[in-house]
Amino acid sequence: MIIKNADVVFADGVKKTDLRIENGVIAEIGKLAGEGLDCTGLTVFPGLIDMHVHLREPGFEKKENIESGSRAAVKGGFTQVCCMPNTKPVTDNKVVVSYIVNRAKEVGLCKVRPIGAITEGQEGKNLAAIGAMKAAGAVALSEDGKTVVSTGLMANAMMYAADFGLKCLCHCEDSSLVDGGVVNEGYYATLTGLKGSIRAAEDIIIAREICLAESLSLPVHICHVSTYSGVQLIREAKARGVQVTAETCPHYFTLTDEVIASFDTNTKVNPPIRAEKDRLAVIEGLRDGTLDCIVTDHAPHHEDDKNVEYALAAFGISGLETSFALSYTQLVRGGALTPSELACKMSANPARILGLEGGAIAVGAPADLMVADLNEKWTIDPADFVSKGKNTPFAGREVYGRVKYTLVDGEIKYREA
Ligand code: DOR
Ligand code: ZN
Ligand code: ZN
């Protein structure tokens, strides 16, 4: 198969060229003879890689399952996703890891890489069977949804993880400071009467994980950074050589806590959407390399979990189908990143951090590709989502960048209807 006349996004810039795909691999790049998929006016990105999603299977299939989540992923341009372990049962052993790997293969849409829990049952008491999970296909460890409260246990986890070549992905939240807070502490928390959570609740654990990584000379990855002060902690740690990497999500660089004034529970997410100062710092962190990745933290919920009063609603945003367009619109059209830099944040860096295949368009690489029309303007409508989770705070928003095709190992897994 040949992809013709596309603007192809490479690490060092965008070039108009053709791609030949053979046996699922990119075989040739350059002006090619013969018929092919005409991509005139379209842009080819390396298949997007989301290192932080929740697919909810096993256990919460009412919210999402591996099939619906995979379908949402390829519709969003993702060829590979890493799924968090807060399932039921928790993904804390090789049986659940194998189940996810096998089920994803049966579904056969995108590559699904499970993330194992750090502790048994995510209870924060005993380390999970890290080696067995790695052998079954786990690509990282995380307690996502919570923080490992015991610092000593977290230190042990980082050491064991490193022995097995895995990284810990840290959800940073001191629950004694959050203390039931559901939104960012500030003007809009006061205005709405919703209980606020201060930045320090996130920053203290970011600082703790950095201290551990520095003292132990081990890597650590910080999940969904939302505060200006968290960005600064990571920037300073990187400057002195700490092996810290970090991610953020579209809602943190697109929205501010002003949106909670609507009392729309689709704006409820953990960590919370913060203030303009934070939003700008997150963009600057992406621009200057402090923040390595854009992830969705795709957290689909059922209507029953969201259609309740704000304090009681579930935390989370269904993000796979909006992430590329929001990121492209906000960051590339907004002038903070080039298309190549966006591809880095959404593909190359996640691959590098977790040691995954893919992440670049190169001869010999798997033909994991995403083809988009960057000039197409469209309006986000959750009724169009194929994810079971329709929970988005972006309904009605106009964005640029429409995914037209997603190819995994050279096969078209999504084609816009
Ligand atoms: O908003 C969130 N939703 N944050 C988390 O940490 C967990 C996630 C979920 O699983 O719903
Ligand atoms: Zn989290
Ligand atoms: Zn998460």
Side-chain angles (χ1 to χ4, degrees):
M1 174 180 168
I2 297 177
I3 292 180
K4 304 275 290 183
N5 306 317
D7 291 315
V8 181
V9 180
F10 296 101
D12 58 350
V14 181
K15 294 181 195 85
K16 194 175 274 305
T17 187
D18 305 334
L19 303 173
R20 189 163 60 80
I21 298 167
E22 219 174 79
N23 301 322
V25 169
I26 300 170
E28 207 178 340
I29 300 172
K31 192 78 204 134
L32 300 170
E35 294 288 287
L37 184 68
D38 182 28
C39 289
T40 305
L42 302 179
T43 305
V44 182
F45 283 78
L48 306 181
I49 301 175
D50 191 341
M51 64 183 282
H52 187 151
V53 305
H54 298 266
L55 297 183
R56 308 300 192 202
E57 184 176 350
F60 300 105
E61 293 85 352
K62 200 170 102 171
K63 296 177 191 280
E64 190 81 294
N65 60 30
I66 291 169
E67 182 174 9
S68 60
S70 297
R71 218 167 272 293
V74 294
K75 185 168 170 225
F78 294 92
T79 54
Q80 193 164 199
V81 299
C82 305
C83 56
M84 284 295 179
N86 59 341
T87 50
K88 198 168 144 192
V90 169
T91 309
D92 65 356
N93 63 76
K94 64 181 182 186
V95 178
V96 183
V97 171
S98 302
Y99 172 78
I100 294 167
V101 168
N102 292 330
R103 180 65 196 134
K105 277 193 188 135
E106 279 171 17
V107 166
L109 290 169
C110 62
K111 296 169 184 173
V112 175
R113 314 295 188 199
I115 297 166
I118 293 175
T119 71
E120 289 174 2
Q122 292 191 295
E123 285 174 347
K125 296 197 186 83
N126 307 305
L127 288 184
I130 293 170
M133 290 195 290
K134 159 92 184 188
V139 296
L141 300 172
S142 181
E143 204 81 327
D144 190 44
K146 3 174 153 172
T147 286
V148 175
V149 175
S150 161
T151 307
L153 190 59
M154 190 60 205
N156 275 336
M158 284 170 59
M159 290 187 277
Y160 271 92
D163 282 345
F164 292 103
L166 298 175
K167 285 180 186 164
C168 292
L169 319 181
C170 302
H171 170 111
C172 297
E173 169 180 4
D174 182 321
S175 56
S176 70
L177 278 175
V178 172
D179 192 28
V182 294
V183 296
N184 182 51
E185 172 61 29
Y187 175 82
Y188 288 98
T190 306
L191 187 77
T192 56
L194 296 170
K195 190 166 161 58
S197 174
I198 58 175
R199 291 181 182 87
E202 180 173 345
D203 299 342
I204 281 169
I205 305 297
I206 294 177
R208 184 192 79 166
E209 312 304 39
I210 287 171
C211 287
L212 288 174
E214 186 164 20
S215 287
L216 301 170
S217 295
L218 292 173
V220 74
H221 178 83
I222 307 298
C223 290
H224 42 49
V225 177
S226 74
T227 64
Y228 75 87
S229 32
V231 173
Q232 185 58 14
L233 285 166
I234 295 161
R235 181 179 289 124
E236 288 165 3
K238 282 190 167 186
R240 58 179 195 274
V242 181
Q243 297 174 64
V244 57
T245 52
E247 61 183 45
T248 191
C249 315
H251 38 278
Y252 301 121
F253 58 73
T254 307
L255 300 176
T256 67
D257 55 358
E258 186 183 354
V259 296
I260 69 172
S262 65
F263 290 97
D264 176 0
T265 59
N266 292 316
T267 63
K268 183 175 173 182
V269 62
N270 185 18
I273 294 164
R274 303 209 189 255
E276 179 67 358
K277 179 177 185 178
D278 302 282
R279 190 184 74 84
L280 295 174
V282 165
I283 293 175
E284 179 55 22
L286 285 165
R287 208 196 54 74
D288 76 4
T290 301
L291 301 176
D292 303 273
C293 309
I294 298 168
V295 304
T296 59
D297 195 5
H298 178 70
H301 287 292
H302 191 269
E303 151 108 38
D304 295 351
D305 308 312
K306 283 290 193 181
N307 197 7
V308 294
E309 71 176 271
Y310 204 98
L312 301 177
F315 288 99
I317 292 172
S318 180
L320 282 168
E321 291 164 79
T322 57
S323 181
F324 175 74
L326 289 168
S327 301
Y328 173 72
T329 304
Q330 187 67 50
L331 302 173
V332 179
R333 287 183 63 97
L337 300 181
T338 65
S340 294
E341 288 166 341
L342 182 66
C344 229
K345 307 288 180 190
M346 298 189 77
S347 186
N349 286 348
R352 175 178 53 80
I353 289 166
L354 296 184
L356 307 173
E357 65 185 43
I361 297 179
V363 171
D368 290 355
L369 301 168
M370 184 274 257
V371 184
D373 182 346
L374 298 181
N375 296 315
E376 184 171 334
K377 190 175 172 187
W378 58 285
T379 303
I380 295 173
D381 180 356
D384 297 335
F385 284 8
V386 295
S387 167
K388 290 193 192 185
K390 313 297 177 194
N391 48 302
T392 178
F394 294 109
R397 179 174 283 255
E398 288 194 333
V399 286
Y400 287 86
R402 185 86 181 162
V403 177
K404 297 290 170 181
Y405 304 96
T406 302
L407 285 79
V408 180
D409 290 328
E411 283 181 37
I412 298 179
K413 297 295 185 182
Y414 171 75
R415 176 196 300 263
E416 191 192 35

